[in-house]
Amino acid sequence: MSNTALSNVTDADAPSAAALSEDWLAVWIGLLVFVLALVGIGTFDLLGWSVSTSIWTNLSVALGTSAKSYAGFGGIAALIATYIALLIVLSIGAVALKIPVKRFAIAFTAVFALAYASWIIGNYAHFAAVTPTEFQKFGIDWSLRLTNEGGYIFALASGLIIGNFFPGFAQWLKDAIRPELYIKIAIVILGAFIAVTVAGKLSLATSVLLRGVAAIVEAYLIYWSVVYFIARKWFGFSREWAAPLASGISICGVAAAIATGSAIRSRPAVPILVSSLVVIFAVVEVLILPFIAQTYLYHEPLVAAAWIGLAVKTDGAAVAAGGITEALIQAKAIAEGIHYQPGWILATTATVKVFIDVFIGVWAFILAYIWTNHINVQAGGDKAKASEIWLRFPKFIIGFVVTFLVGFYLASTATPDALAKITSAIGSANNFRVIFFILTFFSIGVLSNFRKLWQDGFGKLVAVYFVSLVGFVIWVGLLVSWIFFSGVKPPLVS
């Protein structure tokens, strides 16, 4: 099996000689952005110079700064400054990950340029304009109504074109194609944005949290057992293959497959092959499920959000799909005169996905205990240790929890004037979250070399994944989401 398309499908807990794991690197970079945002609350905005893109018809006014106080800085200068800042921080991270820093810097320059160019294209008015006011402002009479977050789709499409039609170029970019790192940084930053969003609507946020936990426990316990049965009985896979398949399809994809493979001590190729499937199907789901959600679930936006979190099996693709789903549903709702507060649909998807991630460590320990003590018992063999829960635990979630708790405390105890400053500062930090989302979409696309993976031959694995996902997981996830979230709506813009 060639690893061209899989070289960066990694997990923080996979064996590595790096001085710092990818999970912990995501925590520290995300917390750095968050701390800089907090410092800006008491003095001046330290992150407001970062580049921001508006809906446009005249390209010369497409770029600006995330904070109005830096408007005189100019869009092009903001773009260059943002690139330099990310290049410095991520190059330091590359050193910690034992990635050749010169190759990373060169590749990242191309990745950033292509990904952000895709984002700018996605903000073109004929793609992104939604409201009649925007139609009038830009002098247009039609639009795809994707909102500006439709730019994620363009970033994904750009990556897919490179990954599938220019494999040599994709290979050249590989040192900077790190979707799991980018999305984990984004999720750490997202914690603060969610905290400020929910602080004023605590009762609804608590309901979303409790319903999300109940939904993932119920869905997960059903998913894993059924997928394991299908892999074993219908397709004749061994336990070594069936367990990572069941975890990859039913939990969190790449991280779960690799953690499970490690827990049961399977051959390294097993979770890697499963991980490649996870990435491929996640890309397909990102392209399809948000539009299905917009068409059939736009009157139940949090059902759609939870469904995306349960159905899409990688952190990057799930949160990305949640962002697209929010943009599409918001667009359709606005067209009907309904203005939901932004952030709630994405927050629900992220909440469901994060709690699924939390469960990875626990489940890996359970499987390790069963395998070492009951299935693959060896004379004098090692026993599973409780410390394995920590080893398998996705560390970036610590960062998410920290930014959420600190952000929530500050926002919930602030005066109205202070809350305005907090909201502005966290908004500047959230602008970096958007940029890391863009890099994630582009990277996922580049990794997905469909033709190469098919030629390397794993049609039987594809069949198991397809039957389980399309025939069962998606629809059970929808049913569970409907049971727990039906009738629960995001608050309206006042």
Side-chain angles (χ1 to χ4, degrees), residues 314-332:
T314 72
D315 293 323
V319 179
I324 295 175
T325 300
E326 175 165 301
L328 294 174
I329 289 180
Q330 287 274 35
K332 193 161 186 177

Side-chain angles (χ1 to χ4, degrees), residues 53 56-63 76 120-121 124:
T53 305
W56 59 276
T57 50
N58 182 354
L59 185 57
S60 64
V61 297
L63 300 178
I76 298 297
I120 294 172
I121 293 171
Y124 182 50

Side-chain angles (χ1 to χ4, degrees), residues 192-265:
F193 178 72
I194 293 174
V196 174
T197 301
V198 304
K201 301 289 181 179
L202 185 57
S203 60
L204 178 57
T206 302
S207 175
V208 168
L209 179 64
L210 295 176
R211 290 166 189 265
V213 173
I216 68 104
V217 171
E218 180 173 332
Y220 174 66
L221 293 178
I222 297 171
Y223 283 171
W224 201 94
S225 56
V226 172
V227 174
Y228 184 83
F229 175 84
I230 290 173
R232 290 278 289 151
K233 299 300 182 182
W234 291 8
F235 292 90
F237 280 101
S238 66
R239 291 189 179 96
E240 182 190 28
W241 283 96
L245 268 170
S247 292
I249 296 172
S250 62
I251 320 178
C252 180
V254 172
I258 293 177
T260 298
S262 178
I264 68 172
R265 301 180 181 180

Side-chain angles (χ1 to χ4, degrees), residues 94-173:
V95 173
L97 293 176
K98 299 295 182 68
I99 301 170
V101 68
K102 182 177 180 180
R103 292 209 319 247
F104 174 85
I106 295 172
F108 179 77
T109 300
V111 167
F112 181 84
L114 292 167
Y116 209 86
S118 303
W119 178 253
I120 294 172
I121 293 171
N123 277 261
Y124 182 50
H126 282 296
F127 301 140
V130 175
T131 66
T133 302
E134 289 174 332
F135 276 51
Q136 184 178 5
K137 175 182 177 180
F138 296 109
I140 61 176
D141 55 9
W142 69 272
S143 170
L144 297 181
R145 299 178 184 269
L146 298 176
T147 78
N148 66 324
E149 291 188 341
Y152 294 138
I153 298 175
F154 285 85
L156 177 65
S158 299
L160 286 171
I161 291 171
I162 292 171
N164 288 275
F165 297 100
F166 302 96
F169 186 40
Q171 179 69 13
W172 184 80
L173 293 173

Side-chain angles (χ1 to χ4, degrees), residues 54 326 440:
S54 304
E326 175 165 301
T440 299

